Every structure is written in structure tokens, then in C-alpha cells.
Amino acid sequence: MPLTFALKLARIFLFFCASNALAVDEAATNKRAVTVIADAQFELGKAIIPLYLSHDWTLTQPEVTQVVLMFHGRLRDADVYWRTAKKAMAAAKQSQHSMLIVPQFLADADIEQHGLSEDFLHWKWEAWMGGEPANGPLAISSFEVIDALLSRLKDPHRFPNLHSVVLAGHSGGAQVVQRYAVVGRAEELLESRAITVRYVVANPSSYLYFSHARPYAKDGSCTKFNRWKYGWEAAPDYARRKSSANYEAQYAQRNVIYLLGELDTNPQHPALDQSCAAEMQGAFRLERGLHYFNYLQQRHPLMTQQRIVKVPGVAHDADAMFGSAEGISALFETAQSQLVKTSQK
């Protein structure tokens, strides 16, 4: 249905009523260099990606049974998400058996600001969020970086008892996780070890649709609503290995938790994607997430591997989302898991 004047008034009302709780790392402009570079490095041929690691993965880690890959938001502040992930792991009492990895996708400006070698992968500002190729030193997709990390984890000599991998992100990081869940190779890479994969998609601004259908129309004025990363037009090379129909069938079988803050309802949030392509998905993040899940259910009525988990009392705040009982359960499948799943029925 079209975006009516009444809907626009509703958005204005929600702006004044929405919670003021913002994720500190997401509220400012992203057009600036990061202040902290992650303290570890992972080499991909002639390229380097910085990252944080909770364990020394050059050594055998027999106690590690689960790995959580946490993806930062659009500000590329991996240090912030590193602290968030560590707090969640401590709260889950999973430090002994879980390993954390927080990769950092740098922008061109970060290389210059910190005097880094050109060997460090770097992208144009937010291009990494959609799996676009890096500007240098190699034109590889951010999704290929994830593939390389997963390939490292499937090594039975380093991780002999690994049985579960979780890919999680909030806001911009959730956009990475959701698109990768659609087109990524995680299950393919890990199936030889029977390692399960779970995706935790928390409060992204938008989702990847499989058709031209959207919750709202723009009377033909939004001509690029189906371009990547909202749809499939002009998708990057990484996302062209199969047809969109094949990717959709694959995605419907993947284990995805949509972790949504019940108060993430501010249509004027400073980090919210307010492009017409995003607004056709809904007025604010909670609405967009609910619409997307409903869209998938209509197309795949027998879908059982995916679910919505709402986090009460939380707006757009990564720390609060992943520090909640629902967030900890989604990340670590703790004893709270069954309680949380039951509460969402």
C-alpha cells in the first residue's frame, strides 16, 4: 500500500515517543577514521584483516566447542563490539568453551589515519556491509573474508571439538550477517566437520528481498528499490554464483534468529537507512524486521529454521541487545534458550 499522509504523521508521532536509548557507537556520522585498530591480524594471501581473538588460534584449542563471530556496525568500531561480546560471553558463563572473533573492515581513511601498510584490506566507507569488493590491496568481497575465517575454523587439528559457529551482528553488522546468510558459503565450508551454523541478525536497517514485493510502495518514484543490497539488481560477483531463486531456497533452510529491540521504533534515528529503498521495507527497524519475517513466512509457510525473538525494553543499543537474556541465549544457546523460545510462541 502507498505511504499515506497518515503514515507520515505516525512517523512524526513515533519520533517524539520513541526511546532515546541509542547505541553510542552507531549514533554519530560514519565519515571519519576509526580510533582503534584491532590488535590481531589474519592474513589472506597478500592481504591482512585486523581482528580481535579471545583465544590463540595458532595453538590447538580442544576445549573450544563454539565460536561466535561478532560483526561491528557501520562505524567499524570493532573494539566496542569486542567489549560487548566479551560481556555477553561472561554473562553466559561460556568463556571456557566459547571463542570470540571480531573482524574489522577498515575504510580507506583508516589506512591513512593510522599509517597502516597497504597490505591491510580497506573499503569505501560502508561498501563492506553489502559484500562489495575491497579497494585494496585485493579486490575481494567482505564475504570472502568471512569464508576465509570459517575455513580456518574447520581445521580439525586446531579445533578438534568445535561443533557450532554463530555469526552475529547488530545494525550495520546485522546487514552483513543477513546478506551473508543468504549468499554465504558457511554451511558448505563446515559440513565436512558437521559443524552447525546459526545467524543472529539484530536490528538491521534493511533486508535482502527475493522479489519486487515490499510492504510499502512509492508510486514508482523509487526506481532503485530492488538494487543490491535491498534486492538483486547489480549484485556483486560473490552473490552471482547461483540464481536468486536458489539462494532463497537455501536461505529458507538456514538457522536465523531475528533479534529485534521492541523499542527500536524511531523513524528518525541518526543511523537508520532512510533511503526510499529502505523505507519501502517499513518506517523503523522493528517494523522492517517484522515485515520481512512475515514476507518469508508467506513465501515459505513450512519454514521452521527461522524465528523472531523480541527484546523488551531495548531500542537501538548493541550492548543492551546482546547483554539481554534473549541476546545471550541467541549467541550462546544457554539454559535460557528454551525459555526464550517458548516466550516467543
Side-chain angles (χ1 to χ4, degrees):
M1 63 180 181
L3 286 172
T4 62
F5 180 69
L7 175 59
K8 293 178 181 179
L9 286 178
R11 289 184 175 187
I12 295 172
F13 174 76
L14 284 166
F15 169 67
F16 289 106
C17 294
S19 167
N20 291 323
L22 304 176
V24 174
D25 61 308
E26 293 296 328
T29 177
N30 65 316
K31 297 297 191 293
R32 64 184 183 191
V34 295
T35 58
V36 179
I37 303 296
D39 59 10
Q41 299 177 8
F42 176 53
E43 295 184 3
L44 299 84
K46 297 182 179 180
I48 297 172
I49 190 84
L51 74 172
Y52 289 100
L53 297 164
S54 64
H55 293 64
D56 183 352
W57 67 352
T58 66
L59 304 176
T60 301
Q61 297 291 343
E63 293 186 342
V64 172
T65 59
Q66 175 177 266
V67 171
V68 175
L69 283 84
M70 178 72 74
F71 294 90
H72 57 69
R74 67 183 189 132
L75 297 187
R76 311 176 308 286
D77 45 358
D79 58 313
V80 172
Y81 282 82
W82 173 237
R83 292 192 293 271
T84 291
K86 286 195 298 181
K87 285 192 290 185
M89 184 169 68
K93 299 181 180 179
Q94 293 289 315
S95 299
Q96 182 177 358
H97 299 292
S98 295
M99 175 177 173
L100 299 177
I101 303 175
V102 182
Q104 187 173 31
F105 297 106
L106 299 176
D108 301 334
D110 302 325
I111 304 299
E112 180 179 357
Q113 176 69 24
H114 292 274
L116 298 176
S117 162
E118 280 293 326
D119 292 337
F120 282 82
L121 286 166
H122 50 95
W123 283 260
K124 178 181 178 182
W125 294 120
E126 298 176 2
W128 52 272
M129 287 167 53
E132 302 289 346
N135 285 344
L138 303 175
I140 65 174
S141 165
S142 51
F143 295 160
E144 291 178 87
V145 174
I146 300 173
D147 288 345
L149 292 169
L150 295 174
S151 294
R152 174 85 170 214
L153 295 176
K154 74 175 182 179
D155 183 344
H157 301 292
R158 289 192 175 95
F159 301 99
N161 298 309
L162 181 63
H163 63 69
S164 174
V165 170
V166 178
L167 291 86
H170 179 265
S171 196
Q175 293 190 50
V176 175
V177 173
Q178 198 270 323
R179 274 69 175 186
Y180 183 80
V182 176
V183 302
R185 299 176 58 219
E187 287 80 1
E188 173 189 341
L189 291 169
L190 299 175
E191 65 180 352
S192 64
R193 292 276 316 279
I195 297 171
T196 63
V197 181
R198 182 167 70 256
Y199 304 90
V200 181
V201 179
N203 294 338
S205 270
S206 65
Y207 298 82
L208 177 62
Y209 275 72
F210 296 98
S211 66
H212 285 70
R214 297 293 187 275
Y216 299 104
K218 278 284 189 178
D219 301 321
S221 61
C222 188
T223 59
K224 297 182 179 180
F225 76 95
N226 206 44
R227 287 180 66 87
W228 186 268
K229 57 189 174 169
Y230 310 96
W232 290 89
E233 295 174 11
D237 289 343
Y238 185 98
R240 295 180 181 178
R241 293 174 294 111
K242 302 177 183 179
S243 69
S244 61
N246 285 338
Y247 278 128
E248 179 178 5
Q250 172 181 280
Y251 184 63
Q253 298 299 316
R254 292 191 163 170
N255 186 351
V256 183
I257 297 174
Y258 302 94
L259 192 67
L260 304 178
E262 286 191 343
L263 298 183
D264 201 345
T265 56
N266 184 349
Q268 300 298 330
H269 187 279
L272 178 68
D273 185 346
Q274 298 182 45
S275 67
C276 65
E279 290 194 333
M280 286 178 67
Q281 299 186 14
F284 43 84
R285 293 185 187 86
L286 176 60
E287 183 184 40
R288 293 174 189 181
L290 295 175
H291 277 315
Y292 187 71
F293 188 69
N294 182 61
Y295 164 82
L296 289 177
Q297 285 188 310
Q298 290 180 357
R299 293 172 68 86
H300 302 277
L302 300 180
M303 183 180 69
T304 60
Q305 287 290 91
Q306 303 192 15
R307 65 186 187 272
I308 290 278
V309 174
K310 296 179 184 178
V311 182
V314 177
H316 198 65
D317 185 328
D319 212 41
M321 289 291 290
F322 291 127
S324 67
E326 294 80 6
I328 292 169
S329 170
L331 293 177
F332 297 101
E333 286 290 342
T334 62
Q336 291 284 334
S337 298
Q338 190 58 46
L339 174 62
V340 171
K341 290 178 184 178
T342 302
S343 71
Q344 301 306 320
K345 293 180 180 180

